[in-house]
Amino acid sequence: MAGCSEFRPWAYLLPELLGLIFCKLSLQEILTVVPAVCKTWNDIVLGPYCWVDIDILEWSIMCKPEQLDRMVQMLLTRSSGACSRLTVSGLHTESIFNFIADNSESLKKLELPRSEITDAIVEQLVPRFSNLTSLDLSECHKITARALEAFGTNCKSLVELRRRMHPVDMGEIVFQDDQLYAIANTMPKLRRLQINYLPLTANSVLEILSRCKDLEYLDLRGCWDVKLNKKWIKEKYPNLKVVGPDILDFLDNSWEDCSDDSDSSGYSWMDEEDGVSDDEQVLDDFQIHFFGPDLDVFASLTIGFP
Ligand SMILES: *[C@@H]1O[C@H](CO)[C@@H](O)[C@H](O)[C@H]1NC(C)=O
């Protein structure tokens, strides 16, 4: 590095900071490359600092089903109760939901898309999720209004809820307004609500508007039967941004407008289909070099921000 006269070994970085840096690597790199560098780094990867934010969404979509529970158990065990966000797709055994509940002391954000969690499991475990602020139950087909009500009744700090279904779920229309009524009745503090491809009528949406007074962002893309008078909504709820039900609505950059609000959550509702969020766009790729004891570079990693 030209112009860098002072050499500071990586080993002097606080473990917490190294943990934050390692978090930017892929799961495979954290679990295989980093521990091989030195004992200190191995200890960090074994400890909680890398696992405050456990986002293995990408890995979990690709992995073999039998690997999934073991990975979640291993990472939550390493987090030693410090995990504040868990993002994983496709969980399907009852034992893993129990395990998550047993290790959820610090959990604020729980994102379990495509999981097979049921109403009964939710009702049994939800008291242990009472500190959640953000919840993603997208494409969880085994839950109904009952589970939503249980979450709402127990999680009084919930400000974000996402329940995004798949377009094929719209095949046979059974209106699911009771899900929105459960939300309206039990989650008055919601600020962001995303409901996609769920058959709804406008009545339940109006109930949300009148009960959730703090709502800033409502995404109804794909809920085709919801006919809203957007002009009326704009006048009556000036602080609310409504997107959808037309899916083309997402071309209007609505998220960017909304994300300017200073939001302590730092949670991005963007995903691979919607594009990238602002803070991802400003970061360029950068490289980390791993130095051996003789200070030769023996491994390099390029960290990409897509
Ligand atoms: C919620 O957070 C408080 C304060 O951090 C903590 O004492 C309590 O145990 C947490 N509740 C659960 C169910 O983890």
Side-chain angles (χ1 to χ4, degrees), residues 29-69:
E29 285 164 340
I30 307 179
L31 294 180
T32 59
V33 180
V34 176
V37 172
C38 62
K39 178 162 186 317
T40 312
W41 287 23
N42 185 45
D43 290 346
I44 291 171
V45 173
L46 290 177
Y49 296 122
C50 283
W51 313 111
V52 171
D53 184 341
I54 300 177
D55 180 350
I56 54 168
L57 185 70
E58 249 173 71
W59 179 86
S60 59
I61 290 168
M62 316 288 272
C63 78
K64 298 199 185 88
E66 64 270 20
Q67 297 174 323
L68 195 52
D69 286 11

Side-chain angles (χ1 to χ4, degrees), residues 145-186:
R146 261 174 65 195
L148 293 170
E149 191 181 322
F151 272 116
T153 309
N154 285 275
C155 310
K156 288 300 173 198
S157 310
L158 209 55
V159 292
E160 299 178 318
L161 176 68
R162 185 191 230 189
R163 184 141 169 77
R164 188 181 148 129
M165 308 309 278
H166 194 273
V168 300
D169 298 328
M170 297 291 279
E172 112 196 33
I173 300 282
V174 181
F175 283 107
Q176 304 286 334
D177 288 308
D178 58 338
Q179 295 195 24
L180 280 215
Y181 289 124
I183 294 168
N185 287 335
T186 61

Side-chain angles (χ1 to χ4, degrees), residues 104-105 127-128 130-131:
S104 64
E105 300 93 311
R128 286 187 273 165
S130 57
N131 289 336

Side-chain angles (χ1 to χ4, degrees), residues 58-178:
E58 249 173 71
W59 179 86
S60 59
I61 290 168
M62 316 288 272
C63 78
K64 298 199 185 88
E66 64 270 20
Q67 297 174 323
L68 195 52
D69 286 11
R70 264 188 294 147
M71 179 65 83
V72 172
Q73 281 169 10
M74 182 182 85
L75 300 184
L76 279 176
T77 303
R78 291 183 179 193
S79 84
S80 313
C83 177
S84 74
R85 173 181 171 221
L86 176 65
T87 304
V88 51
S89 171
L91 294 182
H92 57 280
T93 63
E94 188 164 345
S95 59
I96 194 65
F97 298 118
N98 274 293
F99 191 87
I100 293 170
D102 287 342
N103 290 273
S104 64
E105 300 93 311
S106 309
L107 207 59
K108 295 271 193 297
K109 299 177 184 207
L110 182 60
E111 298 164 17
L112 300 177
R114 302 184 190 96
S115 85
E116 311 228 341
I117 197 165
T118 63
D119 288 338
I121 295 174
V122 170
E123 284 170 343
Q124 186 198 333
L125 300 179
V126 77
R128 286 187 273 165
F129 292 118
S130 57
N131 289 336
L132 286 186
T133 60
S134 180
L135 181 63
D136 186 338
L137 296 170
S138 295
E139 293 184 59
C140 296
H141 293 106
K142 295 194 172 166
I143 59 163
T144 68
R146 261 174 65 195
L148 293 170
E149 191 181 322
F151 272 116
T153 309
N154 285 275
C155 310
K156 288 300 173 198
S157 310
L158 209 55
V159 292
E160 299 178 318
L161 176 68
R162 185 191 230 189
R163 184 141 169 77
R164 188 181 148 129
M165 308 309 278
H166 194 273
V168 300
D169 298 328
M170 297 291 279
E172 112 196 33
I173 300 282
V174 181
F175 283 107
Q176 304 286 334
D177 288 308
D178 58 338

